[in-house]
Amino acid sequence: MRTTFQEELDLLEATLQEEGELVLRALRGSINALEQRDHELASEVIAFDDDVDQRYVAIEEGVQSLLARQTPVATDLRLVLAILHVNLHLERMADYCVTIAKLSQLVPDVEPSPRFVEGFEEMGARCEEMIRVALDSFVKRDLEGAESLVDLDELVDRANRRVVERILELGEAPRMREYGLRMVLVSRALERIGDHAVDIGEQISYLLTGEFREFSDASHSHPRS
Amino acid sequence: MGNRSDTISIDVAPVEIAQRRHAPLPENREVVFDVQDLGVRYGATTAVSGVDFDIYRNMITAVIGPSGCGKSTFIRCLNRMNDLVPGAQVDGKILYHGEDLYGSGVDPVEVRRRIGMVFQRPNPFPKSIYDNVAWGPRVLGMRKDLDERVERALRGAALWEEVKDRLKRSALSLSGGQQQRLCIARAIAIEPEVLLLDEPASALDPIATTSIEELMHGLKRDFTLVIVTHNMQQAARVADMTAFFSLEVGEGRRTGVLVEYDATEKIFTNPSDQRTEDYVTGRFG
């Protein structure tokens, strides 16, 4: 039994979960900053990204060291490769949270309808759920949970389309148009966070089955709902 | 830049470069050995039992497993080396190109000419480099163009450039890695079809090991290779197919059995049997 090796693998996985928790915090913070127009909170989210990056680098280095010294094979190899990919997906998610926080600071002083804010609240909550499902499925080695991310993502995509439709109704006033433009990017950032959660699900599937598989074919557009 | 006809064209499409190294597809495999329910006993002790698999032409097949699992016993059945062990009894069948290797009328000497063997410790004769390689052909009456034959064998074993100016020197003056390649040259000088290698690099340093492994890649164009190794990474590096043997313990007996046989890539990324998984990941025992 390779005790040291197993301990190092466990530590990497624990750090990955920690990184996931930080991403959840960043996501919640960025949505709150947007809803409440809290520029200070937005600045915190932006500064907070360093914590995520720190975990990201620690995991990268840990994986590099494991590959160089321990030559993992079979399930161990798949776990190390999955950690490497999931690490990148989480880091990207955190970057999107920073994007949302920055956009929230750039929003002109306009009063859109409350429906608008509700749309982002819904997308944010759905993305949070997806990240939780992804992290839990990884810990529990739960293939069904991982596969359920596709359906959850479809809900985020629908919410994204609704937000875009509402933006088109904002009118032609220059400040409204600027606001709408920024909000398209926020919506897009949330939609991408959902996609990354699905990608984590695919890594879990690879870890468990040894097969590379795309859950959904991104090159073919989904039917509009 | 316009149309430049003088640029070097690259024949290999980028996508091919990125493709994984696969063992040839099952339909392209030609069976050399068909091992059927093979068992070996030494007196009352059963060393291996129930071994059943095919070994394919122009491939490197690695046999891995813990000490005492019968790897060497198995490989020695493939050229009837076990005939020389008193009390050894072989059950089951090994078909070599469809012919029963242990059938009556099969000459074990002819079997060993076609199926050569290289051992763990380099064992050159205390003779000149040339005589070591020429010895087999001389004994078998292959005296025609002996110089060419010796050169061809030494080139085949990637040793020619290093020894061509000192063929009359003693083989014992060579380094360990060179001696092992000399033993491979000696084995291929009589043009066998199969080479069995029993831990061929375990007594060598990493550089000599690399040269033996590189040599094996080259040799499989002309030969079928079966290698026993306790170095799993070596199997992962060189072999197309890997057979994992393990020990079955019961009623006070320990018997070697074949647990899993598959493409090397499969064995080392996604093995089918939990025992294989435990062994290759180091969780054995």
Side-chain angles (χ1 to χ4, degrees), chain B residues 110-185:
Chain B
E110 178 59 16
V111 166
R112 286 173 213 135
R113 193 198 69 74
R114 293 208 210 168
I115 306 166
M117 192 153 196
V118 174
F119 300 89
Q120 179 173 4
R121 293 220 156 258
N123 55 352
F125 307 128
K127 289 171 173 291
S128 73
I129 293 167
Y130 183 96
D131 285 342
N132 261 274
V133 182
W135 180 79
R138 276 186 191 132
V139 168
L140 292 164
M142 303 166 158
R143 287 167 188 278
K144 197 166 171 273
D145 302 324
L146 194 54
D147 288 356
E148 284 81 5
R149 183 178 285 274
V150 168
E151 179 177 337
R152 202 161 55 236
L154 285 167
R155 283 189 188 279
L159 191 60
W160 175 252
E161 291 302 324
E162 290 162 60
V163 301
K164 64 183 176 188
D165 300 323
R166 46 173 172 153
L167 292 172
K168 296 294 167 198
R169 294 262 296 272
S170 166
L172 301 178
S173 67
L174 298 173
S175 73
Q178 287 172 326
Q179 287 187 12
Q180 193 61 305
R181 279 181 283 147
L182 181 67
C183 292
I184 291 173

Side-chain angles (χ1 to χ4, degrees), chain A residues 1-2 5-6 9 71-78 209-212, chain B residues 20 232-233 236 267-271 276-277 280-285:
Chain A
M1 185 73 186
R2 301 161 72 184
F5 176 48
Q6 190 56 53
L9 272 180
T71 333
V73 294
T75 306
D76 295 338
L77 175 65
R78 303 206 302 273
T209 65
E211 304 285 331
F212 292 104
Chain B
R20 293 186 287 171
M232 275 185 290
Q233 283 310 308
I267 296 284
F268 286 95
T269 58
N270 194 12
T276 315
E277 167 88 30
V280 298
T281 59
R283 288 179 178 79
F284 185 89

Side-chain angles (χ1 to χ4, degrees), chain B residues 232-278:
Chain B
M232 275 185 290
Q233 283 310 308
Q234 180 165 66
R237 285 192 296 265
V238 302
D240 301 293
M241 302 292 291
T242 296
F244 169 59
F245 279 60
S246 189
L247 277 168
E248 215 159 63
V249 182
E251 294 169 18
R253 287 159 185 241
R254 296 152 69 87
T255 309
V257 292
L258 172 68
V259 173
E260 186 168 351
Y261 176 56
D262 212 322
T264 300
E265 190 174 289
K266 176 88 167 69
I267 296 284
F268 286 95
T269 58
N270 194 12
S272 303
D273 194 291
Q274 187 60 40
R275 289 169 291 174
T276 315
E277 167 88 30
D278 290 346

Side-chain angles (χ1 to χ4, degrees), chain A residues 23-28 30 45-46 92-102 131 189 193:
Chain A
V23 171
L24 280 168
R25 212 167 95 186
L27 179 60
R28 183 42 36 207
S30 64
V45 170
I46 294 162
R92 285 284 156 83
M93 287 178 175
D95 285 348
Y96 281 120
C97 296
V98 169
T99 302
I100 295 169
K102 284 182 178 168
I131 296 170
I193 288 175

